[in-house]
Amino acid sequence: DAKTTQPPSMDCAEGRAANLPCNHSTISGNEYVYWYRQIHSQGPQYIIHGLKNNETNEMASLIITEDRKSSTLILPHATLRDTAVYYCIVSPNSGNTPLVFGKGTRLSVIA
Amino acid sequence: DGGITQSPKYLFRKEGQNVTLSCEQNLNHDAMYWYRQDPGQGLRLIYYSQIVNDFQKGDIAEGYSVSREKKESFPLTVTSAQKNPTAFYLCASSIDLDRDYEQYFGPGTRLTVT
């Protein structure tokens, strides 16, 4: 079972920041937060991950609350190509537990 | 180019037939995975393999079988015992199981069984 809760869908205007929330209130101390996205009919694509500090890369920023019970993925300037399903996953970085993908959030970027 | 290939993109079979989906990677990754995705649903793990000649059942392994005779290849057989085989099947790989968070996915095979 997925250990995260995400809204099923969101809209965002093109050029604006897309903020995708994720609740993971039962996260354990050794579990990381991972984000993937899946464009229609393609395989998922890794975006970013973090433990407790905020992270940024060329694709997105990840903001994790201090209590680690929720996080937000930020796409700073959403484009139409960012329309996809975004998956938030929590999992230990131990190598013994494969990732569990929930239903994700379907982000629609609108022109 | 390095990557994961799955073929064919679309596959049609009659009910009662076994069918094998191919997955090949040239990334020199140790770990490989098979997922199933149904419309509007997230991915569900079928099988995964940490290393050659080793594989483990995922959450929904019933009705499926795999082999890992070569590092590059992880074929999935959908047997006639799988009650609802029509789905989108995705193969993935990672450097090893410790880095399964950074999985690289293939383009997928959409299987339709009638």
Side-chain angles (χ1 to χ4, degrees), chain A residues 2 26 70 90:
Chain A
T26 61
S70 66
V90 296

Side-chain angles (χ1 to χ4, degrees), chain A residues 5-104:
Chain A
T5 304
Q6 298 177 253
S9 63
M10 290 181 63
D11 292 339
C12 178
E14 189 178 18
R16 305 296 293 269
N19 298 293
L20 293 98
C22 180
N23 286 327
H24 32 79
S25 57
T26 61
I27 192 170
S28 301
N30 68 337
E31 289 183 318
Y32 286 67
V33 181
Y34 306 92
W35 282 84
Y36 278 73
R37 74 178 183 184
Q38 185 177 21
I39 294 169
H40 182 63
S41 292
Q42 297 182 21
Q45 175 190 24
Y46 166 80
I47 301 173
I48 199 168
H49 77 283
L51 182 62
K52 52 184 178 182
N53 297 324
N54 297 337
E55 302 287 344
T56 294
N57 63 21
E58 65 278 3
M59 289 184 69
S61 294
L62 174 60
I63 309 297
I64 302 174
T65 57
E66 196 169 336
D67 64 7
R68 304 207 323 122
K69 293 185 176 183
S70 66
S71 60
T72 302
L73 179 76
I74 301 172
L75 308 178
H77 305 287
T79 71
L80 298 178
R81 287 178 294 181
D82 291 322
T83 292
V85 177
Y86 287 77
Y87 297 99
C88 169
I89 303 163
V90 296
S91 184
N93 196 24
S94 66
N96 294 322
T97 310
L99 301 178
V100 176
F101 288 76
K103 294 185 181 181

Side-chain angles (χ1 to χ4, degrees), chain B residues 31-87:
Chain B
M32 296 186 74
Y33 313 81
W34 273 106
Y35 295 89
R36 169 189 172 130
Q37 188 173 34
D38 294 284
Q41 304 294 317
L43 278 65
R44 290 186 290 167
L45 183 65
I46 305 173
Y47 269 98
Y48 62 101
S49 167
Q50 187 171 355
I51 202 166
V52 174
N53 292 323
D54 177 76
F55 47 83
Q56 306 293 330
K57 291 182 180 180
D59 300 320
I60 54 164
E62 186 175 347
Y64 299 98
S65 65
V66 293
S67 63
R68 186 87 187 274
E69 297 175 4
K70 298 186 300 182
K71 188 175 186 178
E72 304 80 23
S73 179
F74 190 40
L76 172 76
T77 297
V78 184
T79 75
S80 55
Q82 169 49 234
K83 290 185 172 58
N84 296 297
T86 294

Side-chain angles (χ1 to χ4, degrees), chain B residues 2-14:
Chain B
I4 300 180
T5 56
Q6 292 183 245
S7 60
K9 192 169 175 67
Y10 299 95
L11 190 55
F12 298 88
R13 280 293 183 271
K14 295 285 189 190

